[in-house]
Amino acid sequence: MSEPGSLLRSLSGRSTARNFHSHVINEIGAGVISGRYPIGTTLPNDAELMADFEVSRTVLREALKTLEAKGLLEARPKVGTKVAKKSRWNLYDPQVLAWHLDAPPDAEFLSGLHEVRRSLEPIAAAEVARRRTADQIRLMLYWIRQMETSLTSPQNFALADFELHRIIADAAHNPFIRALYGVIELAHAFAYQRLVDAPEEEVLVAILDKHKMLVQRIEYGDESGTRAAMLETIEHDRQIALGT
């Protein structure tokens, strides 16, 4: 996942890698996150991986370097390339986050994902309510309208929902909150994954109502109300993701 929104766009059918380099990165990266390549183990040697993926040594080595930069692998002289501990994984990397969508459920990871949102997004929303501009409100209302017109298209609805949260993160003018794009998108993907497969319009209407309240609180400059409304949208996402 390189562009914001690409993970949500893939929910109706996983996108294929664009080239050999991307394919190797995706296969090994997803394999690490899913446990197919267990933590602490050494990857097969270059010759085996080149044969498995039908790529050149150059393509393989570049892919492994990319995964090292994401914290998933570590190369050790005379030992080989090992799968790194979870504490080294770059969980703010959009691709690393995206690979968790198809991995076996991890209660600690999911809890942490929503806790990060609960900790920072309400702060961002309250800050936006304090110094909102007319242009920002117009953009938020535009995405609310897109949600309204996409009640029969869960994927488009999900994208509009995510764009609304992106506008709020941007409008807070806090680079650390902007760094949450991947976290916010993955949380939305977990929430909307089953709805894309089995649409439930009444569930989307409930989501829409909560976002209308959020934008209304921002428009009124109600900082405490905005904070509470954002917390409600995050909690609702969590409940939908858990199927409760």
Side-chain angles (χ1 to χ4, degrees):
M1 180 177 67
S2 56
E3 295 291 330
S6 60
L7 178 59
L8 290 170
R9 291 186 186 93
S10 75
L11 289 179
S12 58
R14 304 298 290 175
S15 56
T16 56
R18 289 170 294 182
N19 52 49
F20 289 123
H21 179 255
S22 298
H23 175 67
V24 176
I25 291 171
N26 279 314
E27 287 297 308
I28 297 178
V32 169
I33 301 300
S34 70
R36 183 157 46 90
Y37 297 113
I39 291 170
T41 61
T42 302
L43 292 184
N45 62 39
D46 284 6
E48 291 180 68
L49 291 173
M50 288 161 57
D52 286 346
F53 295 117
E54 299 182 341
V55 296
S56 67
R57 186 178 301 276
T58 299
V59 169
L60 175 65
R61 296 313 302 171
E62 286 302 313
L64 295 179
K65 284 179 184 177
T66 298
L67 291 165
E68 280 186 68
K70 294 177 185 293
L72 299 185
L73 303 176
E74 50 186 345
R76 295 184 178 180
K78 300 182 181 179
V79 174
T81 301
K82 301 196 73 170
V83 178
K85 297 182 293 185
K86 281 188 178 181
S87 60
R88 293 176 59 93
W89 297 0
N90 180 5
L91 291 181
Y92 285 99
D93 182 290
Q95 237 180 342
V96 175
L97 285 167
W99 288 324
H100 281 81
L101 186 62
D102 292 323
D106 183 332
E108 182 179 285
F109 175 83
L110 288 173
S111 176
L113 184 75
H114 292 289
E115 187 58 42
V116 168
R117 291 190 70 195
R118 284 194 296 268
S119 298
L120 294 177
E121 277 196 272
I123 294 173
E127 177 62 20
V128 175
R130 186 177 69 83
R131 58 177 185 180
R132 69 223 176 278
T133 67
D135 282 343
Q136 289 165 351
I137 297 299
R138 275 195 292 271
L139 276 172
M140 291 179 206
L141 291 173
Y142 169 80
W143 287 112
I144 288 290
R145 287 193 295 274
Q146 292 304 303
M147 292 170 74
E148 287 176 325
T149 59
S150 301
L151 288 170
T152 58
S153 176
Q155 187 172 49
N156 289 339
F157 186 98
L159 284 162
D161 181 347
F162 172 57
E163 288 299 333
L164 176 57
H165 283 265
R166 275 223 299 158
I167 288 167
I168 294 170
D170 276 340
H173 298 291
N174 184 325
F176 294 97
I177 290 173
R178 286 194 191 103
L180 289 180
Y181 283 171
V183 170
I184 296 169
E185 183 170 5
L186 180 61
H188 280 71
F190 276 121
Y192 284 102
Q193 193 172 29
R194 71 176 179 83
L195 293 172
V196 168
D197 293 333
E200 297 178 43
E201 189 169 328
E202 66 276 12
V203 175
L204 298 185
V205 169
I207 295 170
L208 174 61
D209 288 343
K210 291 187 182 300
H211 284 77
K212 282 182 175 179
M213 178 60 70
L214 172 62
V215 173
Q216 184 185 78
R217 293 297 96 197
I218 292 173
E219 186 174 11
Y220 289 171
D222 179 358
E223 293 180 48
S224 62
T226 296
R227 191 179 291 108
M230 178 61 86
L231 282 168
E232 280 196 35
T233 68
I234 294 168
E235 177 59 19
H236 200 217
D237 284 350
R238 187 186 72 83
Q239 291 176 359
I240 295 170
L242 294 173
T244 58

